[in-house]
Amino acid sequence: KEHGTVEKTGFIIFAGSPDGVMDEFHNPYAYNLFRLDTQGGHVLERITGHVLSGIEFPNLNTSIDQITYNVSSNFDPALTPDGNILFSSVQAYGSRAGGKGRVMLCVDNWDGAYPRPIYGNCDEEIGGASGKSQAKITFGDRKLVYIESPYMNWGVGQLSAVSWDAPYNKTYERLSKDEGGLYRSPYPLPDDRMLVSYAERGDFGIYWFDFKNGKAGELVHNDPEWNDHQPAPVYIKYKPRWINTFTAGKNFGVTAVTYQPFDQVKVEGYPHSWGTWICFDTTLTDLPVGPYPHQRAKATKPGDVKAVRIVEGVQCVESDAERFKAGAGSHLLGGCRSSSNSGTAFQQRRIIGYQYVEDDGSVVTSQTADTPYYIQNLDERGMAVQSGLSWAYLRPYHGRICSGCHDGSYRGRAFQNQHTKALYNWWYDDR
């Protein structure tokens, strides 16, 4: 049909990497997630009443919008029952897992507005530096099933799972008990069965997984001339609940969680490429005091953190890998990479800016969107007492809420309806 006249269709979410980039592990790629609008922006118009800007591809009768911003890679997108996008995310910044980095399972809204780590990014979580990929959610018991690999860049391994509703160590389990074979491409079905691709000695075939015995069960298909992967049964799929982050109606671009009044956007003329984030308590954390970057330099209470520093991560674009030397700083960080602002980590950094922290520990600010960043808590001397070790990002005119550093969101102020000075001043300060 003609451009934008299809009655109803969905988005296509895919992972792509631009040419000439390197991730933080010296690999010649850095994948992120993109949304392809099959109606050239009109899918979003049908849902929200507005056309989302993106990269226009008139020759393909469509537009594409990048929805995640990681200095390393985000990949393997899949749809969750509640309409989120589930994916794997390589977290390479800092000294986590002995300098080897981690792969975490993450979810995000379909427009990239609110990424949330689910499992795999913390020191105490089972799996360490292992790869976690091809995650899916089962229907009956709502398990988050994924491929756990011995190496980060492997696409095969063993089947593991955590609870989708409580993704903690206590719900972790290794599903596959047959250590002699390798699995990939799990695909749960509504009748609680699950298809997998399995190989004992190199020739992958499609099998029903035997949950009771923890191994590949009945053979479905195996072509001896080919490796068989990615089974996708045809059945009536669930209808996801769209999580619509565009709620402003005619004031397009301002969302329910963006603490940025409509008239302020119009009067002050904020550029469309800005977003807002708020932290209800920069001192709320369960991380210990210690010498490593992921730990606190000292204990803090409300009033001790005076400001935050916002640091941007810049993608490395360099065709000559010999210009970079991996290994500097290994005696300090316990790994082969340096986390200093040098060429040894295959990423560069620059300061976006600083923001004042209220005496109750809260802070709110606006900054450039579609930019990977992390924040540092600063004391009265301007010294960092704690640094975020995950690349975050904002979408244009969107907002993000932080209820504390590495503290369960269900315990945070954001979900207890507690007011903070930063939020109050953001709305009512007339300076």
Side-chain angles (χ1 to χ4, degrees):
K1 289 193 174 184
E2 190 176 343
H3 187 77
T5 62
V6 179
E7 288 83 3
K8 191 172 184 179
T9 185
F11 299 121
I12 297 175
I13 306 294
F14 66 94
S17 174
D19 292 333
V21 301
M22 288 185 177
D23 70 0
E24 295 165 281
F25 290 101
H26 323 149
N27 297 310
Y29 51 78
Y31 286 88
N32 270 289
L33 300 188
F34 296 80
R35 186 188 64 252
L36 186 150
D37 189 333
T38 53
Q39 298 183 51
H42 290 277
V43 171
L44 192 67
E45 183 179 25
R46 174 174 54 80
I47 297 173
T48 68
H50 294 273
V51 179
L52 180 68
S53 61
I55 306 173
E56 296 291 341
F57 287 86
N59 58 320
L60 300 178
N61 199 31
T62 189
S63 62
I64 297 175
D65 183 35
Q66 184 174 340
I67 65 172
T68 69
Y69 291 82
N70 189 4
V71 182
S72 286
S73 289
N74 294 336
F75 59 98
D76 280 348
L79 184 66
T80 67
D82 61 357
N84 278 288
I85 305 301
L86 173 67
F87 59 95
S88 296
S89 180
V90 176
Q91 297 293 310
Y93 167 52
S95 61
R96 54 168 55 83
K100 298 178 182 179
R102 287 178 177 265
V103 178
M104 73 171 176
L105 301 177
C106 189
V107 294
D108 202 341
N109 291 23
W110 51 269
D111 56 358
Y114 204 55
R116 286 92 72 201
I118 298 299
Y119 187 78
N121 197 35
C122 302
D123 275 349
E124 70 275 9
E125 290 176 326
I126 298 172
S130 64
K132 299 174 183 66
S133 61
Q134 304 159 48
K136 302 287 192 303
I137 300 172
T138 62
F139 287 81
D141 50 11
R142 290 170 60 89
K143 291 180 179 178
L144 182 59
V145 179
Y146 58 94
I147 299 298
E148 189 173 75
S149 309
Y151 305 105
M152 195 173 296
N153 59 350
W154 274 33
V156 297
Q158 298 300 311
L159 284 170
S160 297
V162 293
S163 168
W164 170 244
D165 300 300
Y168 310 118
N169 275 347
K170 64 181 181 181
T171 66
Y172 171 89
E173 59 179 319
R174 173 66 67 84
L175 298 179
S176 56
K177 306 299 191 293
D178 181 8
E179 300 293 339
L182 295 172
Y183 294 83
R184 66 168 300 172
S185 308
Y187 203 110
L189 273 72
D191 60 6
D192 290 334
R193 293 185 297 170
M194 185 169 69
L195 287 167
V196 294
S197 179
Y198 173 78
E200 186 173 356
R201 299 187 181 278
D203 178 27
F204 282 85
I206 306 299
Y207 295 82
W208 293 109
F209 184 71
D210 183 350
F211 282 95
K212 181 179 180 180
N213 296 306
K215 63 180 183 179
E218 179 185 351
L219 176 66
V220 176
H221 176 75
N222 187 9
D223 187 331
E225 301 297 325
W226 298 87
N227 285 317
D228 304 299
H229 298 302
Q230 299 177 331
V234 178
Y235 64 93
I236 299 176
K237 295 181 171 60
Y238 51 78
K239 183 179 180 180
R241 176 176 61 87
W242 281 101
I243 300 176
N244 181 11
T245 55
F246 295 89
T247 60
K250 293 182 179 180
N251 296 284
F252 173 62
V254 185
T255 73
V257 295
T258 300
Y259 302 105
Q260 190 164 291
F262 299 155
D263 57 349
Q264 190 177 54
V265 176
K266 295 176 181 177
V267 174
E268 297 186 11
Y270 283 171
H272 74 280
S273 58
W274 280 47
T276 301
W277 62 264
I278 182 171
C279 180
F280 288 85
D281 191 347
T282 54
T283 66
L284 185 62
T285 182
D286 59 0
L287 293 176
V289 174
Y292 297 102
H294 66 277
Q295 298 172 329
R296 292 182 290 166
K298 61 182 180 181
T300 56
K301 62 183 184 302
D304 291 343
V305 177
K306 303 300 183 181
V308 292
R309 177 189 294 125
I310 307 164
V311 184
E312 176 185 355
V314 181
Q315 191 81 61
C316 173
V317 181
E318 175 56 60
S319 58
D320 184 8
E322 295 300 321
R323 293 192 61 226
F324 296 88
K325 179 182 178 182
S330 60
H331 62 294
L332 299 174
L333 298 174
C336 63
R337 300 179 301 111
S338 166
S339 65
S340 64
N341 185 17
S342 66
T344 58
F346 271 66
Q347 39 114 314
Q348 295 290 295
R349 304 172 208 175
R350 58 190 175 198
I351 296 174
I352 295 177
Y354 296 82
Q355 185 58 268
Y356 167 78
V357 174
E358 302 287 348
D359 57 16
D360 66 350
S362 62
V363 59
V364 64
T365 191
S366 290
Q367 65 184 64
T368 54
D370 291 349
T371 301
Y373 73 92
Y374 67 92
I375 65 172
Q376 293 180 310
N377 292 341
L378 308 180
D379 62 13
E380 70 281 356
R381 298 182 299 159
M383 302 296 288
V385 296
Q386 190 170 5
S387 298
L389 289 186
S390 295
W391 295 111
Y393 53 88
L394 301 167
R395 294 312 317 276
Y397 274 145
H398 284 194
R400 290 190 66 179
I401 297 172
C402 170
S403 57
C405 183
H406 198 266
D407 189 78
S409 59
Y410 58 87
R411 297 193 298 266
R413 293 186 182 183
F415 301 92
Q416 295 177 359
N417 199 27
Q418 296 182 18
H419 293 282
T420 62
K421 289 186 177 181
L423 177 58
Y424 182 88
N425 291 340
W426 184 253
W427 278 99
Y428 297 107
D429 194 344
D430 59 358
R431 286 177 296 179

